[in-house]
Amino acid sequence: MQPILEVTHLSHSFGGLKALTDLSLEIFPGELVGLIGPNGAGKTTVFNLITGVFRISQGRIFFRSENISDWRSHRITAAGIARTFQNIRLFKELSVLDNVRLGAFGQHRYSLLDALRRSRRFTAAEQQVTNQAFALLERFNLTHYAHTPARHLAYGEQRRIEMARALISRPQLLLLDEPAAGMNQSEIEDLIQRVRQIQQDFDLTILLIEHQMRVVVNLCQRLTVLDFGQTIASGTPQEIQRHPKVLEAYLGKDGGLGQEAPEPAEETP
Amino acid sequence: MLRQKGFLIWSGAALILALAWGLPASGALNPYVIQILMYVGINMILTLSLNLVNGYMGEFSVGHAGFMGIGAYVASVLTVAVLPPAWAAPAFPAVLVCGGAAAALAGLLVAYPSFRTRGDYLAIVTLAFNMIVKSVLENISWLGGPRGYLGMPRLTTLFWVAAWVILTLLVLRNLVYSNFGRGITAIREDEVAANLTSVDTRRLKLYAFLISAFFAGVAGGLYAHLLQFINPRSFSILKSTDMLVMVYLGGVGSLTGSLLGATIFTVLLELLRPLGIWRWVVGPLMLVLLMIYRPQGVMGFKEARLFKPKLPTPGGGSPGPPAPAASPLRGQ
Amino acid sequence: MPAVHLWGKNMFQLLAQNVLNALQLGSVYALIALGYTMVYGILTMINFAHGDIFMVGTYLSLAGAVFLLGLPLKLPLVVVFLGAMTFSMLLTALLGVSIERLAYRPLRSAPRVSAVITALGVGLFLENITLGILGPQPLHFPDLIPLTRWEVAGLTFTPLQVLIIVMAAGLMILLDLLVRRTLLGMAMRAIAYNRPIVPLMGVPVDHVISLTFAIGSAIAAAGGLLYGLAYPVLDPLMGVRIGWWAFIAAVVGGIGNIRGAMLGGFILGAVEVFTPLVLPSSTYRDFVAFSLLLVLLIFKPTGILGRPVFERV
């Protein structure tokens, strides 16, 4: 089978600081893969490279066998890679509906002139996008807030808007950046259920960033572990949990149990 | 409901145009009032145009007078030096479109740097653009240099001003409430996130600057053929500041606000005329107080119901093609 | 303006003479550019009113000088010079601090755009209120420095030129030392680096920002005095052009960077002096200066000495 996403020998540095060294990664259709590691390990950098936020200087990225390494973000997203953000990034003044409809920007099929003339094609396309958006809003229990500015909604709801915005473009690959950030244990259980459900319903391949082991161990089929930009291990969750290097990265050499990794400020989109 | 509102808008527009045609001819309005109305209209076009870039897109242009100046000079040269005098009047709309097109071309020059920089730096770029336009105009001797250019026939009438205000309003409204408009607003809210939700921000910036510069250029043409005299100083940074005041007074990201801002500002300056030089102290003071106490303007991000399309709802209309296999509809 | 009468001399002398002229003008630009750059450095805000603060400083210098000359004491010119300078620097500093206090401080947490627009408004306000009070007719600056000319190796220069260059250099070195070596300078740099955290360290942020405005404005006033002596015709709109030029100087050198402001000032001085030698008329100088700005912004947006500013992604 052809991988849906193939990353080869990807490296990146900020100024003199190496944020990512020689990452190679293959993801196959239908997989749910986790990219884990302590804060500052370079996980978000990987997402930013895949989605074209940072220019790629070393290495290549293929999406469905196509080299997307020098594409700009909007093209990559329109081609079928959607993502969410670690710290929610909604269009705050815009209504929830507009936020979600914007996710379909790459799909819209009318010209500027159509819009200015309010042509039939415009009306039909707008109605179609609106219908899709409402279907998603309903799925995520947001219908009630369709016309409310996004900033008025609570944190959990905003996370769901982001998800809806990512899904409306019918992506093949979904990148989730720490979807469990700021959630308590029961919310995390919900989230795990929801991610599974979405993957099934939308026929998705998912790459997920997380630094909390317990989230990914339950969810992912395969894991890749980064530490200081280096790939230190990859394999099934069971293999990873026993991997000595992973234990060291997460727990330190002395093994302070239950500790999260130290938190150097990571560059976050 | 939608039908009704459409009818209201179109009949309102027709009424305004009829009044703009009939009132000056009937002699019922004194010429001074008509003159002020025309200034209000021209300022409305300028404010709407600047609001697209500064309000909706959230970029910061402080050089819009440059576009206006280009439109004014191009239109003036056409009626004075290029067209035979008899043609000037019938060709006036086309002349204005040419002025607008020239300004739009210059809009490209500003749009390109906006791909790479924003915020303060883009403000400086637009400012430099404004200064360069003024300086170039001052150095072209056949345009009169710093002394200015004159001889334009007085072709600007209340009717033409009203017609262009309505056209600008219509174009901007249809733009704003479309995918393009949503994308432009998304640039304001979070440019990186916009790119990552498949919004082609570069193309949208290009569109926004083109459209905005076009209408500023048209307003310049109207202005030139109302005053019948222009000089480079008419299009200095001072003029750009006036436009900023109108935008931020009326309200950023609001069509209603633009109309309101232009009206209040123009009328207020007229009322303050007896103050002489001191009225120019009032404007800046107003601006500062506005920024401190109501930085989004009277109508910031709000819109009169008249200009807003019906709230979109699911269903209705045409259903569009059937959703493909991975449709979000399947999940329930 | 400068140098046209020098065509008869040989190329080297012409060049040297113009470099001298550029240094003189550049010193003034640099002094004003410092104000832009200090405020930007600490608040990341473009204080577009600074050119007009300079204008007010020039008028205050004039007022001080005229007052002291009018006293029946026959004060020596050095005393008049120093007195006018102190007077104007103090009052202009007060003006700068008041502007920050009344117009900018309420906007510190507002969007950057609001602050920039406010600054434009404050500038226009200062111009027009000066116009309203004094009227549009230009005023003349009295001569405080002897008008002798020295000729060395074919170069002509005046005591005034020497004074301007030396004084500007002195002020700039002093400021550079202040920012790099003193506690106040450290506080300024800390605020520029991370404003939310600094108050937690016990740094009185408001005082430091006020002081920044005071110093920037006072230096602009000193620049105003020197400018008035060199180009003794003052009008209320003089701050507009000079302000813009100094602003370009700050950006060209790298806004936020004090040494960059000095470098930029001298580059702009050179642009002004050399434009009429290369292009048909001095009216092209604005075109050259703003084109330089535009080109630089497109290719090196942080200026010559500025550090790159990353937009947070």
Side-chain angles (χ1 to χ4, degrees), chain B residues 36-51:
Chain B
I36 303 303
L37 283 176
M38 287 195 271
Y39 279 127
V40 168
I42 291 171
N43 281 339
M44 280 175 172
I45 301 173
L46 289 170
T47 311
L48 285 166
S49 126
L50 182 61
N51 214 335

Side-chain angles (χ1 to χ4, degrees), chain A:
Chain A
M1 196 163 42
Q2 278 290 320
I4 188 167
L5 182 80
E6 188 183 355
V7 174
T8 57
H9 305 294
L10 195 62
S11 297
H12 194 75
S13 46
F14 299 101
L17 186 75
K18 272 240 166 224
L20 188 69
T21 314
D22 198 29
L23 172 79
S24 292
L25 195 64
E26 280 188 338
I27 300 174
F28 293 91
E31 272 194 306
L32 210 165
V33 177
L35 188 62
I36 66 169
N39 267 336
K43 303 179 304 275
T44 298
T45 305
V46 176
F47 273 20
N48 283 338
L49 287 166
I50 295 176
T51 51
V53 177
F54 299 151
R55 281 243 150 269
I56 292 172
S57 48
Q58 274 178 61
R60 280 182 184 173
I61 298 172
F62 297 88
F63 178 58
R64 293 188 296 166
S65 313
E66 208 167 352
N67 186 350
I68 60 166
S69 312
D70 54 358
W71 288 16
R72 288 197 288 122
S73 299
H74 72 95
R75 191 172 166 205
I76 294 171
T77 320
I81 301 181
R83 73 178 275 190
T84 64
F85 302 92
Q86 183 181 349
N87 43 348
I88 304 172
R89 294 184 81 154
L90 290 171
F91 308 117
K92 295 196 178 75
E93 285 296 330
L94 293 182
S95 71
V96 173
L97 176 67
D98 281 350
N99 267 279
V100 177
R101 289 199 289 183
L102 268 165
F105 190 95
Q107 265 79 36
H108 83 279
R109 291 283 169 267
Y110 56 82
S111 69
L112 185 61
L113 223 59
D114 279 319
L116 296 187
R117 285 170 37 225
R118 286 288 186 259
S119 73
R120 189 160 304 182
R121 184 203 292 244
F122 167 84
T123 321
E126 282 284 289
Q127 189 62 54
Q128 193 194 344
V129 170
T130 306
N131 289 350
Q132 287 172 2
F134 269 105
L136 277 166
L137 289 183
E138 193 167 324
R139 181 189 183 100
F140 288 103
N141 291 327
L142 291 164
T143 315
H144 184 59
Y145 304 110
H147 302 298
T148 314
R151 71 188 149 85
H152 289 320
L153 273 67
Y155 180 82
E157 290 158 346
Q158 294 197 357
R159 281 225 169 271
R160 302 210 299 272
I161 302 175
E162 253 199 349
M163 198 83 95
R165 182 176 70 182
L167 289 174
I168 195 174
S169 60
R170 297 195 209 97
Q172 282 136 1
L173 177 64
L174 179 63
L175 310 179
L176 297 175
D177 195 346
E178 299 211 11
M183 289 187 172
N184 64 32
Q185 194 55 50
S186 78
E187 287 170 325
I188 288 179
E189 296 303 325
D190 278 357
L191 177 81
I192 290 175
Q193 285 309 313
R194 192 178 310 127
V195 171
R196 283 209 179 106
Q197 192 67 45
I198 287 170
Q199 187 191 19
Q200 223 172 48
D201 294 346
F202 292 82
D203 205 9
L204 280 171
T205 309
I206 295 179
L207 176 61
L208 179 126
I209 285 181
E210 197 45 72
H211 71 194
Q212 303 180 45
M213 272 286 218
R214 53 179 180 265
V215 178
V216 281
V217 167
N218 278 322
L219 201 53
C220 301
Q221 294 141 9
R222 281 197 300 128
L223 297 177
T224 291
V225 189
L226 290 182
D227 192 25
F228 295 112
Q230 308 267 2
T231 313
I232 55 173
S234 55
T236 64
Q238 288 70 33
E239 290 165 2
I240 293 297
Q241 275 179 303
R242 285 193 303 269
H243 202 290
K245 272 188 169 169
V246 178
L247 292 175
E248 194 185 305
Y250 263 84
L251 308 174
K253 280 189 176 138
D254 315 325
L257 250 144
Q259 293 283 311
E260 293 294 349
E263 306 217 354
E266 186 175 1
E267 79 302 327
T268 52

Side-chain angles (χ1 to χ4, degrees), chain B residues 77-134:
Chain B
V77 168
L78 283 177
T79 52
V80 173
V82 178
L83 292 172
W87 290 19
F92 189 46
V95 164
L96 293 177
V97 169
C98 288
L105 220 58
L108 290 181
L109 288 181
V110 180
Y112 277 109
S114 83
F115 293 167
R116 295 183 40 161
T117 55
R118 61 175 307 159
D120 297 349
Y121 279 99
L122 189 65
I124 301 171
V125 169
T126 57
L127 190 115
F129 164 76
N130 197 162
M131 296 289 198
I132 289 173
V133 168
K134 180 173 167 261

Side-chain angles (χ1 to χ4, degrees), chain B residues 6 20 33 36 38 62 124 129 169 175 194 205 222 252 292 328-329:
Chain B
V33 173
I36 303 303
M38 287 195 271
V62 283
I124 301 171
F129 164 76
L169 202 54
L175 178 74
K205 284 181 181 178
L222 286 167
V252 285
I292 295 174
L329 295 164

Side-chain angles (χ1 to χ4, degrees), chain C residues 2-158:
Chain C
V4 181
H5 60 282
L6 294 172
W7 274 115
K9 298 193 177 182
N10 69 45
M11 259 333 256
F12 172 75
Q13 278 174 341
L14 178 73
L15 199 69
Q17 184 68 53
N18 276 305
V19 167
L20 194 67
N21 292 341
L23 267 177
Q24 173 190 338
L25 195 58
S27 302
V28 177
Y29 285 144
L31 285 179
I32 305 163
L34 285 173
Y36 282 107
T37 232
M38 283 173 73
V39 169
Y40 191 88
I42 197 166
L43 289 178
T44 56
M45 170 202 157
I46 305 174
N47 180 14
F48 277 126
H50 191 63
D52 298 300
I53 293 178
F54 154 81
M55 175 271 294
V56 174
T58 315
Y59 272 100
L60 287 171
S61 307
L62 172 69
V66 169
F67 173 75
L68 291 174
L69 287 174
L71 290 180
L73 295 172
K74 286 265 168 215
L75 291 167
L77 286 180
V78 186
V79 175
V80 174
F81 175 83
L82 290 175
M85 187 163 91
T86 317
F87 172 76
S88 131
M89 283 176 84
L90 281 176
L91 281 190
T92 313
L94 194 66
L95 174 72
V97 171
S98 319
I99 289 174
E100 191 274 325
R101 192 63 222 260
L102 297 174
Y104 301 160
R105 192 173 295 178
L107 293 171
R108 222 178 268 164
S109 56
R112 299 260 287 283
V113 172
S114 310
V116 174
I117 296 173
T118 306
L120 280 170
V122 169
L124 288 173
F125 177 77
L126 290 179
E127 283 160 30
N128 288 315
I129 207 161
T130 313
L131 262 174
I133 295 170
L134 298 175
Q137 69 282 13
L139 296 180
H140 287 263
F141 212 92
D143 294 318
L144 300 180
I145 306 296
L147 290 172
T148 47
R149 282 174 175 277
W150 296 322
E151 195 126 348
V152 177
L155 289 182
T156 317
F157 54 101
T158 61

Side-chain angles (χ1 to χ4, degrees), chain B residues 5-26:
Chain B
K5 187 180 276 178
F7 177 74
L8 204 66
I9 290 176
W10 285 114
S11 49
L15 183 72
I16 289 172
L17 283 179
L19 283 177
W21 180 265
L23 276 182
S26 72

